Amino acid sequence: MLAAVLRRGEVTLHIGARSWRVFSSLARSGSCRILKSPTLVSLDLHEDWTHKVDEDRQKSFDIQNKSNQLDAALIDGKAIAEEIRSEIANEVSWMKSSIRKTPGLAVLLVGDRRDCQIYVHNKILACDEVGIRSEVSELPECCSEDEILNALTNFNENPEIHGVLVQLPLPERFDEEKILSMLPLEKDVDGFHPSNMGNLAMEGREPLFIPCTPKGCLELLLRSGVEIMGKRAVVIGRSNIVGLPTSLLLQRYHATVTVLHAFTKNPERISREADIVVAAVGMPNLVRGNWLKPGAVVIDVGTYPVEDPSSDSGYRLLGDVCYGEAVKVASAITPVPGGVGPMTVAMLLLNTLESAKRVYGFC
């Protein structure tokens, strides 16, 4: 299978000895046994522009032009996520047998949005599958802000809870920034705390947690054997949840990154220059085949439900990328569903495991 071939790609990164700052030392964990990605600090390199002109003249790219082939290879996020979850389950089991401790995740759900309820349900099921303890606090949309803050305080003060997340979006009447600021840095497994985002952006810094969806996107690229260093990458969308941290993470891997947004002029022309395209807007079929450079690798983060009476659920999901067109231009692409979504949940589980390991000093 094409997906299996992609997943056999090997990525070798050499990590040099470094002097760790105190904060960075807290960020270290055993995740290197599960993920291909090393610590971000280990990727930092001194920038040398001396030979830039010569390099530009070479114009060599490792991603092959596949415009004469019918279909792109499938990057099977579901299969890769299952592999990672299996390894997480093994580590959780090892923790339980070794020190009789279990990682714990708490989720706060406000309101009755069907999609949010489904997302939370899937996260809880995933926790059960790998042996992570989970708690859910469900509050009606008519609840007060104080009730939300009290629920978060209880989670924050519970030593058996190592990760806390607020299911977004919250009902519009609530101050989302104020509520999210209640999450302590050491339990921010979604990776949205300003300190986590700031350390992601800065050379020499290591966030305690990398946001789950960007972390999953990078892991898909690494496990698919896609070269990132020196490549041109385009991130379509600049949200705090996906677009911004994805662009920062790609830069830490030494890609040359351009971020496209709603005010970008000629976005299709800019996108056609990219070796790697990450689409994270939430607008179905925004990225057409003529947005893509032949042979580009495409990561489609978008999920948009459309009515489909033939489906058991009554709807089907579309991505930001027009799959039927993109598959005939790209060299590799993630499907929707079954691409980035399962990886996001897997990274949430991994962040929770890493948090518990830090608390207990478990290696």
Side-chain angles (χ1 to χ4, degrees), residues 43-55:
L43 298 170
D44 294 335
L45 297 175
H46 172 68
E47 291 195 44
D48 183 2
W49 292 75
T50 307
H51 304 292
K52 185 67 178 71
V53 175
D54 291 337
E55 291 171 358

Side-chain angles (χ1 to χ4, degrees), residues 61-69 293-296 329-331:
F61 297 95
D62 292 331
I63 298 176
Q64 299 300 312
N65 186 327
K66 296 188 61 173
S67 57
N68 61 335
Q69 298 188 22
K293 171 184 177 179
V329 182
S331 63

